[in-house]
Amino acid sequence: MTRRTASLLLALCLVSAAHAEAKMQTVYLIRHAEKAAGPGRDPALSPAGRARAERLPVRFADALPAAVFASEFRRTQQTARPLALAAGVPIRMLPAATATDALLARLCALPDGAGAVVFGHSNTLPALAQAWSGQPTPMMAEDDYGQVYVLRLADCRVTEMRSERY
């Protein structure tokens, strides 16, 4: 083996070892389910919204989250409840106006390999995804309740972001 080949192999091993040691988490940003019509700032879920929320444990059956966060509003709490119960974790209160950096720090403090779900709103979730990833993220339509942003974190940096439906 030549000296150059040995140097390249050593460099590859060091890069691989550094990558293997990276602390990783997966974060799902999910909008609350369909809300009931009516006056007021804090409506409950509609029957369709309750049905959607009840499907979440099935969606996450293969990898239940280690943490569930939801804003202070009733609709996010009601959407989060079935998944939190299935995962056996409490719903961590997350005021809708939470600073993005503070929330990211809480998520990055989770154990290596952990998953977390953040339930929020059509205006807060795209803003979080964009702030963390640096990628332009379009706003959610007012009637869009099925979009999920999936973010992969490595050492508290977004390495991948994609959008899914549920």
Side-chain angles (χ1 to χ4, degrees):
M1 177 180 323
T2 69
R3 184 178 197 142
R4 182 173 179 198
T5 303
S7 295
L8 285 173
L9 285 173
L10 177 61
L12 283 173
C13 288
L14 291 173
V15 168
S16 295
H19 181 70
E21 293 176 15
K23 187 174 176 186
M24 305 193 63
Q25 293 91 8
T26 302
V27 178
Y28 299 86
L29 303 177
I30 299 177
R31 183 180 181 196
H32 62 78
E34 292 87 339
K35 58 188 173 185
R41 192 172 163 222
D42 194 13
L45 293 181
S46 68
R50 287 191 300 275
R52 181 183 294 276
E54 290 296 332
R55 290 193 303 268
L56 282 167
V58 174
R59 160 64 177 83
F60 286 93
D62 292 336
L64 290 171
V68 173
F69 296 86
S71 78
E72 70 274 23
F73 294 101
R74 190 166 36 167
R75 59 194 174 273
T76 56
Q77 298 284 321
Q78 290 174 341
T79 305
R81 187 169 295 121
L83 182 58
L85 288 171
V89 298
I91 298 172
R92 299 177 189 192
M93 183 66 68
L94 177 70
T98 297
T100 58
D101 292 341
L103 174 56
L104 184 58
R106 290 176 75 182
L107 294 167
C108 292
L110 294 171
D112 185 33
V117 180
V118 177
F119 290 94
H121 306 272
S122 62
N123 60 336
T124 60
L125 297 178
L128 288 174
Q130 184 167 322
W132 294 340
S133 71
Q135 297 177 26
T137 307
M139 294 302 291
M140 291 180 178
E142 183 58 32
D143 61 349
D144 183 358
Y145 294 98
Q147 184 166 349
V148 178
Y149 296 112
V150 182
L151 293 89
R152 302 254 190 237
L153 305 177
D155 288 334
C156 213
R157 294 176 114 28
V158 174
T159 59
E160 176 188 348
M161 182 175 85
R162 68 180 187 277
S163 181
E164 296 179 354
R165 307 284 309 163
Y166 87 99

